[in-house]
Amino acid sequence: MLTAEFKPWHVPLFLAKYAYLTVTRRPILVHFEVTTRCNARCGFCDYWKTDPSAKASEVASFADAARFFNPMLITFTGGEPTLRRDLEELVAAVHAAVNLKYITLLTHGGMLTPERARSLWKAGINQFNISLDYLDSRHDVARGIPGLSAKIMSTVPRMREIGITGIRFNTVIKRDNLDQLLPIVDRARELGCGVNFSCYTDAKNGNRDGLIDRDSTENLEAVVAELLAFKRKRRGIITNSDYYLEQIPRYVRGEISEPCRSGMRTIHLDPTGHVKRCPDFPPDFHWTDFRKYEPINCNACYYACRGEAQAPLRISRIRDVMASPV
Ligand code: SF4
Ligand code: SF4
């Protein structure tokens, strides 16, 4: 799962940093939400309705916050982060501020060219996570960007050609794409990419269209069993832990009720530098006033960031980290 620029001897160093952050109850993963502006039109998210004037309040650097939290994993997200013309400077400054980290960019991919990807990669991005919920035009409709899935499929091989090894599809598991999950994994394997799954929620704006109802649980269980079987044969492509995938049907059946630990292992900084415990909660304080979060009795989602924070450190997880999609 680590990209080619990391060597096997990095793994114990990352494990040591993971242990240190765990013992000191510091976040392991910090998401920098560099903008809430977005030029997609997803029905399950209202970020694209952000007034363009919000640009004026977006901070010019996250480097001090990155130095303060010193996390092991960093994600640049949005909104659509590639809308920021200074994204390379934001990434480079954070890259310089933190030792021993892995930096991911989350994008819908609609404006990602191989040239932009190369300049972001040079700035310090280790991994590009491109949203992909369907292989066909349903993706274009769902995201409101004509030709999006075709563009992604033409950009990814060109990124691979210029030597970018860290490419993952971010796939939301929802009511009408259960038939797409295995085909997306297969396509990722052909392209030398990975896939990271997360479960749909209506927590963003109340849109219940994508929710998997309990009547579909059998279908979901069958698909999850196929994903786990795929992982047993070939690690490094599906990047979720076995644990997370195993829990998804339990969540849909309403069997998960343990408090959410978001904010303890992962935090989000909004574009003004204020901290949120998760993407769908309002900000609590500016990062300079950071206070440690406690678990919360919320069951509104089963995002990967929630489920993975609860995943035990099994041998299979270490094998996932060591495995490569190519
Ligand atoms: S889900 Fe992502 S791509 Fe879609 S509107 Fe929200 S920020 Fe934009
Ligand atoms: S369950 Fe956790 S991650 Fe999900 S919305 Fe609630 S607090 Fe946020």
Short mmCIF file of all heavy atoms in Angstrom, two decimals, residues 36-42 44-48 78-80 107-108 131 143 145 204, ligand 1:
data_model
loop_
_atom_site.label_atom_id
_atom_site.label_comp_id
_atom_site.label_asym_id
_atom_site.label_seq_id
_atom_site.Cartn_x
_atom_site.Cartn_y
_atom_site.Cartn_z
N THR A 36 -14.07 24.46 0.42
CA THR A 36 -15.36 23.76 0.32
C THR A 36 -15.99 24.02 -1.05
O THR A 36 -17.07 23.51 -1.34
CB THR A 36 -16.34 24.18 1.43
OG1 THR A 36 -16.42 25.60 1.46
CG2 THR A 36 -15.90 23.65 2.78
N ARG A 37 -15.30 24.80 -1.89
CA ARG A 37 -15.83 25.02 -3.23
C ARG A 37 -15.66 23.74 -4.07
O ARG A 37 -14.72 22.99 -3.87
CB ARG A 37 -15.09 26.18 -3.91
CG ARG A 37 -15.33 27.53 -3.22
CD ARG A 37 -14.45 28.62 -3.81
NE ARG A 37 -13.03 28.42 -3.49
CZ ARG A 37 -12.09 28.31 -4.40
NH1 ARG A 37 -12.36 28.41 -5.69
NH2 ARG A 37 -10.83 28.13 -4.04
N CYS A 38 -16.57 23.53 -4.98
CA CYS A 38 -16.48 22.34 -5.82
C CYS A 38 -17.26 22.58 -7.10
O CYS A 38 -18.30 23.24 -7.07
CB CYS A 38 -17.04 21.11 -5.08
SG CYS A 38 -16.84 19.59 -6.03
N ASN A 39 -16.76 22.05 -8.21
CA ASN A 39 -17.47 22.23 -9.48
C ASN A 39 -18.19 20.95 -9.92
O ASN A 39 -18.60 20.85 -11.07
CB ASN A 39 -16.52 22.71 -10.57
CG ASN A 39 -15.37 21.76 -10.80
OD1 ASN A 39 -15.13 20.86 -9.98
ND2 ASN A 39 -14.65 21.94 -11.89
N ALA A 40 -18.29 19.96 -9.01
CA ALA A 40 -19.16 18.82 -9.30
C ALA A 40 -20.59 19.18 -8.86
O ALA A 40 -20.85 20.31 -8.42
CB ALA A 40 -18.65 17.58 -8.58
N ARG A 41 -21.50 18.22 -8.98
CA ARG A 41 -22.90 18.46 -8.60
C ARG A 41 -23.47 17.21 -7.94
O ARG A 41 -24.53 16.73 -8.33
CB ARG A 41 -23.74 18.81 -9.84
CG ARG A 41 -23.42 20.16 -10.49
CD ARG A 41 -23.92 21.32 -9.63
NE ARG A 41 -23.68 22.61 -10.25
CZ ARG A 41 -22.55 23.31 -10.13
NH1 ARG A 41 -21.54 22.82 -9.44
NH2 ARG A 41 -22.43 24.48 -10.72
N CYS A 42 -22.75 16.69 -6.96
CA CYS A 42 -23.20 15.44 -6.34
C CYS A 42 -24.50 15.67 -5.56
O CYS A 42 -24.63 16.68 -4.86
CB CYS A 42 -22.13 14.91 -5.40
SG CYS A 42 -20.56 14.63 -6.23
N PHE A 44 -25.54 14.00 -3.04
CA PHE A 44 -25.45 13.63 -1.62
C PHE A 44 -24.53 14.56 -0.83
O PHE A 44 -24.19 14.28 0.32
CB PHE A 44 -24.95 12.19 -1.48
CG PHE A 44 -23.63 11.93 -2.17
CD1 PHE A 44 -22.44 12.13 -1.50
CD2 PHE A 44 -23.59 11.50 -3.48
CE1 PHE A 44 -21.22 11.91 -2.13
CE2 PHE A 44 -22.38 11.27 -4.13
CZ PHE A 44 -21.20 11.48 -3.44
N CYS A 45 -24.13 15.69 -1.46
CA CYS A 45 -23.20 16.60 -0.80
C CYS A 45 -23.52 18.01 -1.27
O CYS A 45 -23.79 18.23 -2.45
CB CYS A 45 -21.77 16.23 -1.20
SG CYS A 45 -20.51 17.46 -0.78
N ASP A 46 -23.51 18.95 -0.36
CA ASP A 46 -23.88 20.33 -0.73
C ASP A 46 -22.68 21.26 -0.88
O ASP A 46 -22.85 22.47 -1.02
CB ASP A 46 -24.83 20.91 0.34
CG ASP A 46 -26.22 20.30 0.23
OD1 ASP A 46 -26.54 19.70 -0.82
OD2 ASP A 46 -27.00 20.42 1.20
N TYR A 47 -21.47 20.71 -0.83
CA TYR A 47 -20.30 21.59 -0.91
C TYR A 47 -20.30 22.43 -2.19
O TYR A 47 -19.81 23.55 -2.20
CB TYR A 47 -19.01 20.78 -0.83
CG TYR A 47 -18.53 20.50 0.58
CD1 TYR A 47 -19.33 20.77 1.69
CD2 TYR A 47 -17.27 19.98 0.82
CE1 TYR A 47 -18.89 20.51 2.97
CE2 TYR A 47 -16.82 19.72 2.11
CZ TYR A 47 -17.63 19.99 3.18
OH TYR A 47 -17.20 19.75 4.45
N TRP A 48 -20.83 21.86 -3.28
CA TRP A 48 -20.79 22.61 -4.54
C TRP A 48 -21.66 23.86 -4.49
O TRP A 48 -21.56 24.73 -5.35
CB TRP A 48 -21.19 21.71 -5.71
CG TRP A 48 -22.54 21.07 -5.62
CD1 TRP A 48 -22.85 19.87 -5.05
CD2 TRP A 48 -23.79 21.59 -6.12
NE1 TRP A 48 -24.18 19.59 -5.16
CE2 TRP A 48 -24.79 20.64 -5.81
CE3 TRP A 48 -24.14 22.76 -6.79
CZ2 TRP A 48 -26.13 20.83 -6.16
CZ3 TRP A 48 -25.48 22.94 -7.13
CH2 TRP A 48 -26.45 21.99 -6.82
N GLY A 78 -11.42 18.37 0.00
CA GLY A 78 -12.24 19.56 -0.17
C GLY A 78 -13.67 19.23 0.22
O GLY A 78 -13.90 18.36 1.07
N GLY A 79 -14.61 19.84 -0.49
CA GLY A 79 -14.58 20.47 -1.79
C GLY A 79 -13.65 19.79 -2.79
O GLY A 79 -13.27 18.65 -2.62
N GLU A 80 -13.35 20.52 -3.83
CA GLU A 80 -12.44 19.98 -4.83
C GLU A 80 -11.10 20.71 -4.70
O GLU A 80 -10.95 21.87 -5.10
CB GLU A 80 -13.02 20.16 -6.24
CG GLU A 80 -12.10 19.73 -7.35
CD GLU A 80 -11.44 18.36 -7.12
OE1 GLU A 80 -12.14 17.40 -6.75
OE2 GLU A 80 -10.21 18.27 -7.29
N THR A 107 -9.61 13.71 -4.85
CA THR A 107 -10.13 14.56 -5.92
C THR A 107 -11.21 13.83 -6.71
O THR A 107 -11.19 12.59 -6.78
CB THR A 107 -8.99 14.99 -6.88
OG1 THR A 107 -9.55 15.67 -8.01
CG2 THR A 107 -8.18 13.80 -7.39
N HIS A 108 -12.13 14.60 -7.33
CA HIS A 108 -13.08 13.93 -8.23
C HIS A 108 -12.42 13.63 -9.57
O HIS A 108 -12.96 12.88 -10.39
CB HIS A 108 -14.37 14.71 -8.39
CG HIS A 108 -14.26 16.09 -8.97
ND1 HIS A 108 -13.54 16.41 -10.10
CD2 HIS A 108 -14.84 17.27 -8.58
CE1 HIS A 108 -13.66 17.69 -10.38
NE2 HIS A 108 -14.44 18.24 -9.47
N SER A 131 -12.22 9.74 -6.86
CA SER A 131 -13.56 9.19 -6.63
C SER A 131 -14.05 8.45 -7.86
O SER A 131 -13.96 8.95 -8.98
CB SER A 131 -14.55 10.33 -6.30
OG SER A 131 -14.13 11.02 -5.16
N ARG A 143 -22.09 12.56 -10.43
CA ARG A 143 -21.19 13.66 -10.04
C ARG A 143 -21.49 14.94 -10.79
O ARG A 143 -20.89 15.98 -10.51
CB ARG A 143 -19.73 13.25 -10.29
CG ARG A 143 -19.31 12.03 -9.50
CD ARG A 143 -18.89 12.40 -8.10
NE ARG A 143 -18.80 11.23 -7.24
CZ ARG A 143 -18.30 11.22 -6.02
NH1 ARG A 143 -17.83 12.33 -5.50
NH2 ARG A 143 -18.29 10.13 -5.29
N ILE A 145 -20.70 15.70 -13.86
CA ILE A 145 -19.59 16.12 -14.72
C ILE A 145 -19.61 15.23 -15.97
O ILE A 145 -19.22 14.06 -15.90
CB ILE A 145 -18.22 15.99 -14.00
CG1 ILE A 145 -18.21 16.83 -12.72
CG2 ILE A 145 -17.08 16.41 -14.93
CD1 ILE A 145 -16.90 16.75 -11.93
N LYS A 204 -24.54 13.85 5.07
CA LYS A 204 -24.07 15.12 4.50
C LYS A 204 -25.21 16.10 4.26
O LYS A 204 -25.12 17.26 4.62
CB LYS A 204 -23.33 14.86 3.18
CG LYS A 204 -21.97 14.22 3.38
CD LYS A 204 -21.15 14.29 2.11
CE LYS A 204 -19.81 13.62 2.30
NZ LYS A 204 -19.01 14.22 3.37
S1 SF4 B 1 -18.83 14.82 -2.83
FE1 SF4 B 1 -16.88 15.71 -3.43
S2 SF4 B 1 -17.06 15.96 -5.63
FE2 SF4 B 1 -19.15 15.74 -4.86
S3 SF4 B 1 -19.91 17.88 -4.48
FE3 SF4 B 1 -19.05 17.09 -2.57
S4 SF4 B 1 -16.92 17.80 -2.56
FE4 SF4 B 1 -17.67 17.94 -4.68
#
